[in-house]
C-alpha cells in the first residue's frame, strides 16, 4: 500500500460564505505537492470588524510550504474567489491559472500590487488541461452569475475530483456557457472520487430558475415606467446587466453605466469577447441632456454600499444626475444577509425624494446564481461520486448538504476551514487539523484577527475611552494634578459636575494618598489609577470605560 | 370660525419602526391641551449606536408644555410602545392610562424608577371612555401579537379620530380579543375624521393569516421530534407561547419556560387573567431530570440577542440545560431586519452541535402581528375616514400606505416625526415642524443623538486612537520626549519599526523645531502635533487615526 495520500484542505469558504481558498495535496505526509483553488476575500462589518478594509484567508500554512505549491487555479472572477490574488501572491509565488475573463480581472488586481501580467496564465476550457505536479486540472464550464465560471476537473493518482466552484444549472444563461449535462456525464464516466460541491442554496427547496426567466418581467417593468429608470445589480453579473440594458433599449431608453465596477466589468467582458450585442452606452453628461423618460441608468451599489452610485443617488446627486418624484429605482438583486440596514436606508431615502423603488420581494426581477436543493441532487446523481464534500457555505449549509448526500446514499463529510480530509480511502477521513483564521487588511497593514487590535476598537466603541496623564517628580511625588481627557463619553455625570473634573479629583486623591511603593512603581500606579478611573466612571455615568494612563517621570 | 384646532404630531414611530410616541392636541395655537399616545423605545446597534443601552424619543417639545398635557395613553405592552414610560415619566408628569395587562407591565417599569403603582391607571375597554381635557378616549380591543392590544377612539370637538395602534385582523387569535368588524363599524357610524393607521405590513400583498392557522403545523413538527424540542418567539407573544406549550403538551412533553422575559410575560398574563388553560410548567432543574424526548423548552432570544436564553444554549449551556445532536430548535418568529447576523450566528452554532434548526422560511411556524395590505384596505373601507394618516413605519411604508389610501379615494398625508398636522379642515394640512430626534440612554446618563459622543465612538472604532502626552517647561521647551500610546492600531507600520516609536520621533522633531509662538500656545501646539501624528500614521499604516493630545505645562 502506498503511503501517498490525496488530501483536501479548506483554508477559507468552508464554514462561511466568502474568502474561498481550498488546497488539494498529493504525496507522502509532509511532502505533498499542492495546488490552491481560489484566493478570495470577504468584507468587514461594523459589528465585528470596524475600520478593517478587507478580510483575507490566513495562508500561513501554505506560506510555510511555499516550495510545495505547484499552481493556483481561480474558478471565476467574483471577489470571494479572486479578490486576494494581489494581496497574497507574493507569499505563495506559484503561477495563477484561469480563463480569459477571470484572467483579465485577476491581472488588474495583480497590477495594483506591481505584479506583471505574466503571473496570470490564461487557459482554455475543458477538454484542455494543465498539469501541475501530480495533478492534471481542466476548467469545465458551468453557469453562474459571472462569465466563464468553471468547475475544475482534477485528475490525481487516486482518482478524479470535481471541484464545482460556484454554479447553477442554467440552460439559457444569456451570457456565458449553458449547463450541459451531456458534457458533465462524460466527465463522470471514468468515475468520480469526490465531488467538492457548492452548498450556498441547499435550503432553497425549489429548482433554480434561469436568467432568461426574468427578461420579460424586466422589460414589462421598464416599459411601463414614466420617469427615469435606474437599476442596480452586482456589476459582475454581466448577464443581468445585459438583460437590463437590452430591456431598456427595447423600451426606447439610452443606457448609461455608472459606478467604477460597472464600467470595469463591462470593459472586461467586451475585451475578452464574452459579451456581444451589448447596447450602445452614453456618458452621464449626455444622459443628463436627454428627457428623463428616455434614460436608463445601470448603477453599482445593490447591497447598499455607502460609497456606491446607488447610495450617492439616494443622497442627492451622482455625476450630475439627480433623481426626482416619479423616477423608478430597481434592485435586480438579493440583499445579502447583514446588508439589510444599508439597503433599507437607501430605499427610505428614495422614498423621501418620491422615487418608486421596486425590489425582488416577489422574485420577479432576480434569480440566484447558485444551485438550489433539487439542483444539488441532480448534480449528485449525474456525477455519482464516491463521496460528496460540501463547501462554499456556513456550517448549517455544509451540514444540510452532507445530510442531503447521505440521504441519497452517498458518503459525505462536514469539513470546515482547517480540516484536512484524506480522500484516498473509500470514505472521506479527517487526516488532521490545521490552524486557520482570518487576516485583516487594515489601512496598508495586514493584522491577525486575534491580535487584539480590532477588539480594542470594539471596546472603545462600546465603552468610550478615558485618557489620564500624571507627572511624577524625582521624589515620586505628583507634579501638579492629573489631567484627564475623555472621548466617546458623556460630559456630565450623576453628580452634575464635569466627568473629567470628578475623575481628576478622584485620581488626584488616590495618587496623593498612595504609598511610596505604589507611586514609585509604574505598573502599580497605572493599575491603581485605572481602578479609580473605572470606579468613578461607573458611579458617575454607569459605564465601564476603557482607560489609558500615561505616567511621565521627571528624572 | 373657531381658531381652535385639532393637531396630530408624531415624535417617534413615523419614519421608523420603533420608539412610538404620538401627540394629539386641541385648542388655540400654543394653548392646545395635549394627550400623548404611547411612549416607546427602540434598540441600539453596532452600526450607528455602539455602547448605547436604549433609544428614547426626544420629548423636549412635550416637556416644555408639561402643563398642557392631560394624559398619556398606552395602546399595548410592546417595548416600542411602553418601554420609555419609566425613563420619561418624570419629565411629563401626566397620568398614564392603559388596560390591565399593559398596566401590569407598565407598573413594573415604573417601579424600576421608583414611581408608585398609582401613576398607572387601569381602564376598561370600549365602550368605557376616559375624559382628558377636550378629549374623550376609549380603548377599542383589536387583535395583535400581545394581549389586550387596543386602538384608541379619540373623540374631539372636531370629530372622532381612530388611532389604530398596532393591529391585525384576526378572528381567531388564540389569546386576546378577536377582530370584531361589527363593533368597529359601530364606532365608525358617527363618521371618522381621521384614521391614524399602522403601516408596518403595507408591502405584504396577501391577506394576513390567523394565529390559529399555525397551531396544527406546530403540533405536527413537535410530535415528530425525537430529541429535546426548544422553541423561541417573542415572550410577549403570549398567544404563540400558549400555542407552542399546548402543542408540546399534546405531544407528551413537559413545558419549561426559560429567560426572564418569558417568565415575566406569562406571569403578567396569568395575574391579569388574559391567559387561561396554560399547561403546567416545570423548572429547569426538573426538566434536566426528564428524558429529553419528554421536554420542551420555550425560550427568549428569537432575534439572536447575545444574552438571551437561545444564544446561551447555542454557546453551550443555560441553567443546567445543554442541547445535543438530534435536538430540535424552532424559531417561531420572523427575524427583524438588521438582526439577521445574530440569528444566523446562533443557527450555525446549533449546527455545530448537531441540533436541527427550523425557521419560518416556509411561513409554517409564524404569522405576523400586523395588518397586510388587503387588511389595510378592509380597515379603510370599514371606517370610511375623511383622511388616513399612516403611522408606525419607515418613510417607505408611510408613503406606500398614503398612496394606497389615495388610490382608494381617501385623503392621506405622509407625516414623519416632527410634522405637526392640522386635522381640523377637510384635508390634513401641515401646521408646522417641531424639532425632534432621539435621546440615548447611555449607562445611567441620557445623551442627545447629536451630541457627538457616539460619533466619537464610531470614529475610534473605525480609525483607532493615538494619545500623545508632551510636557513643556517654564521656558516653553519640551521636557523630555513626547510619549505616545495607541489603542486599536497595528503596532508595526511600513518602516518596520514600532508605530509608537516613529510617532514619538516625528512629534519630538516637530516640537523641537517649532517656533516659540507655537510652543507657547496650547491650541497651536495641539494642532501641530495632531497634524504630524495623523501624517505619520497615514504614512506608516495607511489610516487616519483619531488623535488626543495632552499638553502639561510646568509653571
Amino acid at each position: 500500500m502506498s503511503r501517498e495520500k490525496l488530501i483536501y484542505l479548506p483554508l477559507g469558504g468552508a464554514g462561511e460564505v466568502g474568502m474561498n481558498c481550498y488546497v488539494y495535496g498529493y504525496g507522502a505526509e509532509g511532502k505533498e505537492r499542492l495546488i490552491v483553488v481560489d484566493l478570495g476575500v470577504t468584507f468587514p462589518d461594523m459589528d465585528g470588524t470596524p475600520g478593517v478594509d478587507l478580510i483575507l484567508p490566513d495562508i500561513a500554512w501554505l506560506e510555510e510550504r511555499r516550495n510545495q505549491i505547484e499552481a493556483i487555479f481561480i474558478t471565476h472572477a467574483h471577489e470571494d474567489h479572486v479578490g486576494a490574488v494581489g494581496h497574497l501572491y507574493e507569499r505563495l509565488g506559484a503561477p495563477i491559472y484561469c480563463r480569459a475573463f477571470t484572467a483579465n480581472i485577476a491581472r488588474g488586481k495583480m497590477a495594483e500590487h506591481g505584479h506583471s501580467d505574466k503571473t496570470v496564465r490564461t487557459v482554455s476550457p475543458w477538454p484542455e488541461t494543465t498539469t501541475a505536479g501530480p495533478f492534471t486540472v481542466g476548467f469545465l464550464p458551468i453557469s453562474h452569475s459571472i462569465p466563464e465560471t468553471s468547475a475544475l476537473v482534477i485528475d490525481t493518482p487516486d482518482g478524479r475530483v470535481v471541484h464545482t466552484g460556484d454554479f447553477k444549472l442554467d440552460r439559457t444563461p444569456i451570457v456565458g456557457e449553458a449547463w450541459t449535462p451531456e458534457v458533465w456525464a462524460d466527465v463522470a464516466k471514468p468515475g468520480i472520487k469526490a465531488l467538492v460541491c457548492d452548498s450556498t442554496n441547499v435550503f432553497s427547496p425549489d429548482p433554480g430558475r434561469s436568467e432568461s426567466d426574468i427578461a420579460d418581467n424586466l422589460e414589462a417593468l421598464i416599459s411601463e415606467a414614466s420617469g427615469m429608470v435606474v437599476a442596480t445589480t452586482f456589476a459582475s453579473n454581466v448577464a443581468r446587466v445585459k438583460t437590463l440594458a437590452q430591456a431598456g433599449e427595447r423600451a426606447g431608453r439610452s443606457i448609461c453605466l455608472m459606478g467604477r465596477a460597472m464600467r470595469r466589468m463591462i470593459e472586461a467582458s467586451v475585451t475578452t469577447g464574452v459579451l456581444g450585442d451589448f447596447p450602445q452606452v452614453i456618458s452621464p453628461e449626455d444622459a443628463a441632456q436627454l428627457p428623463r423618460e428616455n434614460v436608463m441608468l445601470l448603477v453599482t451599489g445593490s447591497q447598499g454600499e455607502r460609497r456606491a452610485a446607488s447610495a450617492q443617488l439616494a443622497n442627492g446627486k451622482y455625476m450630475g444626475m439627480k433623481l426626482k418624484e416619479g423616477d423608478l429605482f430597481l434592485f435586480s438583486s438579493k440583499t445579502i444577509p447583514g446588508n439589510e440596514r444599508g439597503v433599507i436606508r437607501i430605499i427610505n431615502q428614495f422614498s423621501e425624494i418620491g422615487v418608486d423603488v421596486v425590489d425582488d420581494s416577489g422574485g420577479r426581477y432576480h434569480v440566484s446564481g447558485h444551485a438550489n436543493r433539487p439542483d444539488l441532487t441532480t448534480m449528485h446523481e449525474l456525477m455519482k461520486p464516491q463521496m460528496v464534500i460540501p463547501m462554499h457555505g456556513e456550517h448549517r449549509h455544509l451540514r444540510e448538504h452532507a445530510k442531503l448526500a447521505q440521504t441519497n446514499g452517498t458518503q459525505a463529510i462536514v469539513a470546515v476551514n482547517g480540516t484536512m480530509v484524506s480522500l484516498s480511502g473509500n470514505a472521506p477521513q479527517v487526516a488532521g487539523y490545521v490552524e486557520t483564521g482570518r487576516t485583516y487588511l487594515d489601512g496598508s497593514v495586514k493584522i491577525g484577527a486575534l491580535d487584539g487590535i480590532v477588539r480594542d476598537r470594539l471596546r472603545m466603541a462600546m465603552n468610550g475611552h478615558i485618557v489620564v496623564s500624571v507627572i511624577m517628580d524625582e521624589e515620586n511625588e505628583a507634579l501638579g494634578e492629573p489631567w484627564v481627557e475623555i472621548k466617546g463619553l458623556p460630559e456630565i455625570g450623576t453628580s452634575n459636575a464635569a466627568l473629567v473634573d470628578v475623575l481628576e479629583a478622584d485620581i488626584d486623591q488616590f495618587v496623593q494618598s498612595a504609598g511610596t511603593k505604589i507611586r514609585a512603581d509604574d505598573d502599580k500606579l497605572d493599575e491603581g489609577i485605572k481602578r479609580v478611573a473605572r470606579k468613578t466612571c461607573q458611579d458617575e455615568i454607569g459605564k465601564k470605560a476603557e482607560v489609558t494612563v500615561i505616567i511621565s517621570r521627571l528624572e
Side-chain angles (χ1 to χ4, degrees), chain A residues 4-27:
Chain A
E4 309 209 304
K5 256 189 334 198
L6 173 63
I7 56 164
Y8 160 79
L9 169 64
L11 293 177
E16 66 190 332
V17 173
M19 204 179 86
N20 291 279
C21 178
Y22 307 90
V23 181
Y24 292 90
Y26 186 83

Side-chain angles (χ1 to χ4, degrees), chain A residues 227-230 256 258 284-285 287-293 295 297 299 309-329 349-350 352-355:
Chain A
M228 191 178 295
V229 173
V230 188
C256 173
M258 297 183 100
E285 295 73 31
Q289 302 304 317
L290 291 175
R292 51 204 311 115
E293 65 271 22
V295 174
L297 311 180
V299 307
S310 64
Q312 299 205 40
L313 285 168
N315 264 327
K317 225 175 179 177
Y318 183 62
M319 297 187 75
M321 303 298 294
K322 207 173 145 78
L323 300 194
K324 63 176 204 184
E325 176 126 29
D327 289 342
L328 175 74
F329 191 97
Q349 286 177 306
F350 280 134
E352 286 171 29
I353 307 172
V355 172

Side-chain angles (χ1 to χ4, degrees), chain A residues 68-388:
Chain A
Q68 297 166 240
I69 306 172
E70 299 282 353
I72 299 164
F73 297 89
I74 309 292
T75 58
H76 65 286
H78 276 150
E79 286 296 318
D80 59 331
H81 294 261
V82 72
V85 287
H87 299 287
L88 301 180
Y89 174 75
E90 215 150 14
R91 296 165 58 195
L92 301 177
I96 298 171
Y97 294 91
C98 39
R99 294 179 63 197
F101 176 82
T102 311
N104 182 300
I105 300 295
R107 287 196 183 109
K109 292 181 185 299
M110 295 297 275
E112 284 169 19
H113 291 79
H115 302 306
S116 97
D117 270 10
K118 291 181 190 148
T119 50
V120 178
R121 304 185 190 173
T122 305
V123 294
S124 297
W126 181 263
E128 288 202 24
T129 57
T130 301
T131 299
F135 300 98
T136 305
V137 180
F139 284 78
L140 182 62
I142 182 89
S143 43
H144 183 44
S145 49
I146 189 168
E148 292 193 345
T149 297
S150 303
L152 299 180
V153 181
I154 306 172
D155 282 325
T156 80
D158 277 0
R160 176 169 284 187
V161 173
V162 171
H163 180 104
T164 67
D166 296 6
F167 76 100
K168 66 181 293 187
L169 306 184
D170 193 339
R171 288 175 175 273
T172 52
I174 307 242
V175 170
E177 290 125 332
W179 159 241
T180 50
E182 319 75 47
V183 177
W184 281 66
D186 230 46
V187 167
K189 261 191 198 143
I192 301 295
K193 180 81 188 166
L195 180 71
V196 182
C197 189
D198 181 2
S199 310
T200 318
N201 280 5
V202 67
F203 289 107
S204 301
D206 304 316
R209 294 178 303 147
S210 169
E211 185 65 28
S212 301
D213 287 359
I214 57 167
D216 289 348
N217 297 340
L218 289 171
E219 190 175 345
L221 179 74
I222 297 164
S223 302
E224 282 164 22
S226 58
M228 191 178 295
V229 173
V230 188
T232 184
T233 190
F234 274 112
S236 56
N237 194 338
V238 174
R240 183 70 46 78
V241 176
K242 180 176 171 183
T243 310
L244 287 164
Q246 287 183 331
E249 194 182 38
R250 281 197 297 268
R253 291 170 183 271
S254 297
I255 308 302
C256 173
L257 303 178
M258 297 183 100
R260 204 169 61 94
M262 194 60 82
R263 292 192 306 274
R264 172 80 185 89
M265 278 293 164
I266 297 304
E267 183 189 288
S269 306
V270 171
T271 305
T272 57
V274 298
L275 184 63
D277 307 327
F278 196 82
Q280 183 79 36
V281 300
I282 60 172
S283 69
E285 295 73 31
D286 290 345
Q289 302 304 317
L290 291 175
R292 51 204 311 115
E293 65 271 22
N294 295 346
V295 174
M296 176 163 173
L297 311 180
L298 296 176
V299 307
T300 53
S302 66
Q303 299 303 310
E305 302 93 329
R306 276 179 191 273
R307 278 176 291 188
S310 64
Q312 299 205 40
L313 285 168
N315 264 327
K317 225 175 179 177
Y318 183 62
M319 297 187 75
M321 303 298 294
K322 207 173 145 78
L323 300 194
K324 63 176 204 184
E325 176 126 29
D327 289 342
L328 175 74
F329 191 97
L330 169 67
F331 284 89
S332 181
S333 53
K334 179 187 168 248
T335 303
I336 295 174
N339 295 341
E340 289 81 2
R341 284 207 179 108
V343 170
I344 288 174
R345 186 188 310 117
I346 288 179
I347 295 178
N348 280 314
Q349 286 177 306
F350 280 134
S351 179
E352 286 171 29
I353 307 172
V355 172
D356 293 313
V357 175
V358 173
D359 63 18
D360 185 49
S361 50
R364 294 173 58 77
Y365 307 117
H366 176 67
V367 292
S368 171
H370 293 274
N372 288 358
R373 189 181 185 89
D375 310 324
L376 294 173
T377 300
T378 300
M379 179 61 92
H380 297 175
E381 286 172 356
L382 185 66
M383 302 310 282
K384 295 183 191 64
Q386 200 176 343
M387 53 189 89
V388 167

Side-chain angles (χ1 to χ4, degrees), chain A residues 484-510:
Chain A
V484 172
E485 296 268 349
I486 57 174
K487 206 169 177 78
L489 290 168
E491 282 176 20
I492 309 276
T494 45
S495 68
N496 248 323
L499 176 60
V500 292
D501 292 347
V502 183
L503 283 165
E504 284 171 0
D506 288 355
I507 294 166
D508 191 35
Q509 197 188 5
F510 165 76

